[in-house]
Amino acid sequence: MSDFPKRYTVTAALPYTNGPIHIGHLAGVYVPADIYARYLRLQGRDVAFMCGSDEHGVAISMKAKKEGISPQEVIDKYDGIIKQSFADFGISFDNYSRTSAKIHHETAAAFFKKLYEQGDFIEETTEQLYDEQANQFLADRFVTGTCPKCGHTEAYGDQCEKCGSSLNATDLIHPKSTITGSTPILKATKHWFLPLDRYENFLKEWILEGHKNDWKPNVYGQVKSWIDDGLKPRAVTRDLDWGIDVPVPGADGKKLYVWFDAPIGYISATKEWAQKTGKDWEPYWKDHDTKLVHFIGKDNIVFHCIIFPAMLKAEGSFILPDNVPANEFLNLEGNKLSTSKNWAVWLHEYLLEFPGKQDALRYALTANAPETKDNDFTWKDFQARNNNELVAIFGNFINRVVVLTQKYYQGIVPTPHAFTEVDTQVLTELKAYPAVIASSIERYRFREAQGELMNVARLGNKYLAEEEPWKMIKTDPERVQTQLYIALQVASALGYLSEPFLPFTAQKLRSMLRIEAEGWDTVFTQETLLPAGHEIGQAELLFAQIEDEAIQQQIDKLEATKKSNTMTNPEVTPQKETATFDDFSKMDLRVGTIIEAEKMPKADKLLVLKVDTGLDVRTIVSGIAEHFTPEQVVGKRVTVLVNLAPRALRGVESQGMLLLTQNTEGQLVFVNPDAEGVANGATIS
């Protein structure tokens, strides 16, 4: 192998098409992957940058049921939104495919079939939860119940979100189907398992020994923990109605498990790209002169570092990833990003509120990237990075250079005269930066690399600030020609070197300087980047200040979300077991009026009420005495459950129940029908 691989296959995690893209996705996966791919292209390397929509699995089915539409409508809707967001932010995929594509179904099915025919799977009949009312086996996320480890009553069939334990649906105590609310039964079903334990020695040798020094500690540590715990066979098929058919006899009604088919999506996307461009896809996945790099978030480490490599190893003809530089998570204003709670900055919304400021967000996310630990995005930090760095350093330098060149030389690059020691030092330092930035990128240290890019702008700013050509023009105009010539070389270098990080800015800057896009090495291989006599364009602001008002609007928006979440209150009592329509229809709810009230003797909490239900006047004992006096409740309109079985409380038979709730201060409030014209005895349905 030469110093560099012949080609690079770069993949970015396939986003799930059950919602739009937010800044956590961008910071964790797609901006770092894009910086890397753009840099490689500038280096003249052969790159296939692959991604696509992940469109199978339970999350899609759940979203479809929730929205009352078909899974196909769900994936088409979000595939469009996601694809547009990536295009808007300049994520430069060579191909963005989707796992619902015919080529993917064929590729994933063929992959499974080869492993099946080689005897790589274990075939096993196990008992799984089955919903008799819905007439289907229940995927993990369609089951809730009590966690056997911590007692949380709303654990899912694959994980308890309270204690974090990984579960099987059959582990749950009192399981319930989320489809019908019924209690599922155990029913035998046949599935195929990938015996990961067979690959333990291979994984130990390949990762724990082979990648001890070049993989990120957070990735290496998680993989080591999994392997140390002992790997177990993992099902690769599921009883589902949405996904890729299992292509073997006796597998009717079964689909490939989404974690099995999704990573194969990288391969099918490469095949699709090769068909479109007339290339051969195989060298990008099967030639050992190819470097394969997976960009993912930390929640995908096990799939890309243990399961997918085991699949590739079993298949036998594929290369393995050279690196999996997974990032940690990005938080938002101190709280975890949450799609369900709308605690996120959605990309399509950001562009409506900050039009044309894609690079400002790319810059802030890279400057604060969660490369080795979880990091926090705040709107104040975003504003500070835009105003104090992009505007005050990068933008300010370019604006000064272009404005002064137009003012003194009508936009013509001046002919330099003798270089001073300072001039030579600046040019020498400038030529060193491509290698410095490249070194950081090659080691997946994108935050560090972007910091070095800003040092190029700082170099130019410092040079102008110390040389002061606006003063020198009066005393030594000849010297100013050299000063602006030097400054214009720095400006040109920024036009090339900023391309991976700030693609929209780089294009705008090159347009302003009237230069073409060049290779990465141009900055240190070309003696002159912008020759004397070259005419540049008029000055345009590369970046604009972001005012306090715009930031306050975003903070207020999040506060409103927080308030809304409090009202739909995460502290609220968890939802009870699902009631069927038949359960609900058994309840007879009526409108009534309290006509008499008195305290129950020797009971601090109870009031004895006489309630006109429209059917009769009956006695109801209610535990509301700590919140209301008898005088306060007489005349109140109330909602009454009239067919509750009578119950004796302290010798008084209570014949019903009043409906009450609590306000945010903890005070009891009647759930009452105050509208005009509603008569006692009116039924509530």
Side-chain angles (χ1 to χ4, degrees):
M1 192 186 272
S2 64
D3 286 350
F4 296 114
K6 266 190 190 169
R7 67 193 69 74
Y8 292 75
T9 303
V10 179
T11 73
L14 307 185
Y16 226 174
T17 46
N18 64 337
I21 293 286
H22 57 57
I23 57 168
H25 301 125
L26 211 56
V29 177
Y30 304 106
V31 167
D34 187 59
I35 290 171
Y36 188 66
R38 284 176 179 271
Y39 157 77
L40 291 175
R41 291 192 200 105
L42 287 168
Q43 285 275 28
R45 317 272 174 83
D46 180 357
V47 181
F49 182 20
M50 297 294 134
C51 193
S53 290
D54 182 356
E55 299 179 323
H56 298 136
V58 184
I60 306 298
S61 300
M62 290 179 80
K63 188 79 171 181
K65 282 184 167 65
K66 188 177 178 184
E67 295 190 7
I69 56 179
S70 70
Q72 189 67 46
E73 287 173 292
V74 171
I75 65 175
D76 288 346
K77 173 184 173 182
Y78 290 113
D79 174 69
I81 292 171
I82 291 168
K83 205 180 286 184
Q84 190 58 52
S85 288
F86 285 144
D88 288 342
F89 278 85
I91 308 300
S92 60
F93 301 123
D94 289 299
N95 192 35
Y96 187 85
S97 189
R98 48 194 305 190
T99 60
S100 60
K102 183 170 180 277
I103 194 168
H104 176 69
H105 277 243
E106 290 169 352
T107 303
F111 197 106
F112 179 92
K113 201 161 187 183
K114 183 173 181 188
L115 267 59
Y116 173 81
E117 287 168 354
Q118 290 176 175
D120 290 313
F121 296 132
I122 298 168
E123 194 176 300
E124 208 171 286
T125 297
T126 58
E127 290 196 316
Q128 300 293 328
L129 296 178
Y130 185 84
D131 184 328
E132 291 179 292
Q133 282 185 35
N135 197 28
Q136 69 177 72
F137 282 98
L138 295 171
D140 301 336
R141 286 269 155 169
F142 282 122
V143 188
T144 60
T146 300
C147 173
K149 298 187 180 175
C150 75
H152 178 54
T153 56
E154 294 295 314
Y156 288 109
D158 59 349
Q159 185 182 32
C160 173
E161 297 200 341
K162 187 168 184 185
C163 70
S165 297
S166 183
L167 302 170
N168 289 311
T170 48
D171 297 334
L172 293 174
I173 301 162
H174 307 308
K176 290 286 179 198
S177 164
T178 63
I179 300 171
T180 63
S182 64
T183 300
I185 63 164
L186 284 169
K187 187 173 177 179
T189 181
K190 181 171 66 177
H191 282 294
W192 287 265
F193 292 75
L194 182 66
L196 292 175
D197 44 320
R198 282 186 202 166
Y199 301 93
E200 265 192 37
N201 289 335
F202 148 68
L203 290 166
K204 280 178 182 172
E205 187 182 326
W206 172 58
I207 298 178
L208 299 189
E209 293 170 29
H211 288 294
K212 186 180 286 186
N213 299 319
D214 62 331
W215 279 23
K216 292 168 75 168
N218 54 315
V219 178
Y220 185 88
Q222 196 179 126
V223 172
K224 187 175 186 308
S225 171
W226 269 79
I227 294 173
D228 288 350
D229 279 352
L231 300 177
K232 298 174 184 65
R234 197 169 175 119
V236 296
T237 59
R238 270 292 188 254
D239 291 293
L240 287 172
D241 58 358
W242 180 250
I244 297 171
D245 293 331
V246 176
V248 296
D252 293 347
K254 297 185 194 298
K255 308 290 182 188
L256 295 183
Y257 205 169
V258 67
W259 66 256
F260 183 89
D261 100 75
I264 296 170
Y266 302 137
I267 300 168
S268 58
T270 312
K271 278 188 178 181
E272 188 179 71
W273 166 72
Q275 285 179 6
K276 289 177 188 171
T277 56
K279 291 177 180 283
D280 179 4
W281 73 272
E282 290 207 5
Y284 292 89
W285 281 95
K286 298 189 174 187
D287 187 332
H288 288 279
D289 257 6
T290 297
K291 182 171 179 173
L292 172 62
V293 183
H294 296 310
F295 284 87
I296 57 167
K298 71 174 174 184
D299 51 339
N300 266 323
I301 289 173
V302 65
F303 299 109
H304 288 74
C305 300
I306 291 179
I307 296 170
F308 191 40
M311 289 162 57
L312 295 173
K313 180 74 174 170
E315 199 279 347
S317 68
F318 286 85
I319 58 171
L320 298 169
D322 184 81
N323 212 315
V324 185
N327 273 350
E328 299 292 289
F329 289 153
L330 185 74
N331 296 325
L332 172 60
E333 298 285 355
N335 292 308
K336 281 186 177 177
L337 282 155
S338 169
T339 301
S340 60
K341 293 177 182 173
N342 195 28
W343 191 257
V345 177
W346 304 104
L347 299 195
H348 60 294
E349 289 183 3
Y350 169 89
L351 276 185
L352 292 173
E353 287 151 3
F354 295 97
K357 288 189 169 57
Q358 294 97 317
D359 279 352
L361 187 58
R362 283 180 64 124
Y363 179 81
L365 293 176
T366 303
N368 205 19
E371 289 181 348
T372 52
K373 62 181 178 61
D374 289 0
N375 258 358
D376 196 36
F377 175 90
T378 71
W379 281 109
K380 292 285 189 189
D381 178 71
F382 165 75
Q383 181 188 24
R385 291 197 183 277
N386 180 80
N387 294 355
N388 303 342
E389 296 171 27
L390 291 178
V391 175
I393 299 169
F394 196 132
N396 180 54
F397 167 65
I398 297 298
N399 193 55
R400 278 180 177 182
V401 175
V402 176
V403 166
L404 292 176
T405 304
Q406 286 292 351
K407 185 176 179 182
Y408 301 152
Y409 310 114
Q410 293 74 53
I412 307 294
V413 178
T415 302
H417 297 278
F419 289 164
T420 65
E421 191 181 329
V422 171
D423 300 338
T424 306
Q425 192 179 333
V426 167
L427 291 175
T428 303
E429 206 173 318
L430 183 63
K431 287 186 183 302
Y433 271 108
V436 171
I437 298 169
S439 171
S440 296
I441 292 176
E442 297 270 8
R443 288 175 294 133
Y444 313 104
R445 296 181 178 180
F446 304 109
R447 195 168 60 200
E448 181 180 276
Q450 184 177 263
E452 294 295 350
L453 171 74
M454 287 303 290
N455 284 338
V456 178
R458 286 187 177 92
L459 175 72
N461 245 344
K462 182 171 179 281
Y463 177 75
L464 282 186
E466 290 175 355
E467 293 293 310
E468 297 182 312
W470 47 89
K471 288 184 182 175
M472 189 74 70
I473 195 75
K474 295 167 188 168
T475 57
D476 190 353
E478 197 175 90
R479 173 66 189 144
V480 174
Q481 289 178 232
T482 307
Q483 290 169 340
L484 285 182
Y485 172 85
I486 298 287
L488 283 161
Q489 305 312 306
V490 178
S492 300
L494 285 169
Y496 302 130
L497 300 177
S498 61
E499 166 78 22
F501 309 93
L502 308 167
F504 299 95
T505 303
Q507 193 174 0
K508 198 171 174 183
L509 175 51
R510 290 196 301 268
S511 174
M512 208 189 304
L513 297 176
R514 293 180 180 162
I515 56 176
E516 297 297 322
E518 297 277 357
W520 185 260
D521 294 348
T522 303
V523 175
F524 65 84
T525 55
Q526 277 189 206
E527 190 60 40
T528 301
L529 294 176
L530 213 54
H534 174 91
E535 187 175 355
I536 66 170
Q538 294 297 321
E540 291 176 62
L541 288 180
L542 289 180
F543 308 101
Q545 287 275 346
I546 293 174
E547 302 301 333
D548 290 346
E549 292 78 14
I551 294 302
Q552 194 56 50
Q553 278 180 5
Q554 296 304 318
I555 293 169
D556 291 346
K557 189 173 167 184
L558 286 174
E559 281 303 316
T561 296
K562 197 178 279 185
K563 190 174 180 183
S564 167
N565 286 338
T566 307
M567 291 171 77
T568 54
N569 201 346
E571 306 298 323
V572 81
T573 307
Q575 179 180 305
K576 293 181 180 176
E577 291 178 6
T578 305
T580 65
F581 181 78
D582 289 344
D583 292 336
F584 179 75
S585 61
K586 288 176 188 172
M587 294 193 294
D588 191 346
L589 295 167
R590 303 281 177 134
V591 175
T593 304
I594 299 173
I595 53 176
E596 290 180 26
E598 62 180 5
K599 289 199 76 167
M600 170 82 77
K602 298 181 182 176
D604 294 338
K605 295 182 179 178
L606 302 178
L607 289 183
V608 181
L609 311 171
K610 286 276 194 294
V611 182
D612 178 354
T613 65
L615 302 168
D616 52 26
V617 174
R618 64 178 66 187
T619 300
I620 295 176
V621 179
S622 183
I624 60 175
E626 291 181 327
H627 293 263
F628 302 100
T629 64
E631 294 75 26
Q632 283 175 314
V633 299
V634 172
K636 282 272 186 196
R637 309 294 307 285
V638 289
T639 303
V640 190
L641 178 61
V642 294
N643 64 334
L644 187 68
R647 183 180 172 202
L649 291 166
R650 292 187 175 256
V652 178
E653 186 175 72
S654 181
Q655 301 168 307
M657 179 184 283
L658 306 186
L659 269 59
L660 294 101
T661 186
Q662 278 187 326
N663 63 18
T664 51
E665 280 77 49
Q667 291 292 313
L668 284 182
V669 178
F670 286 101
V671 178
N672 63 4
D674 272 342
E676 290 294 324
V678 178
N680 287 348
T683 58
I684 297 166
S685 59

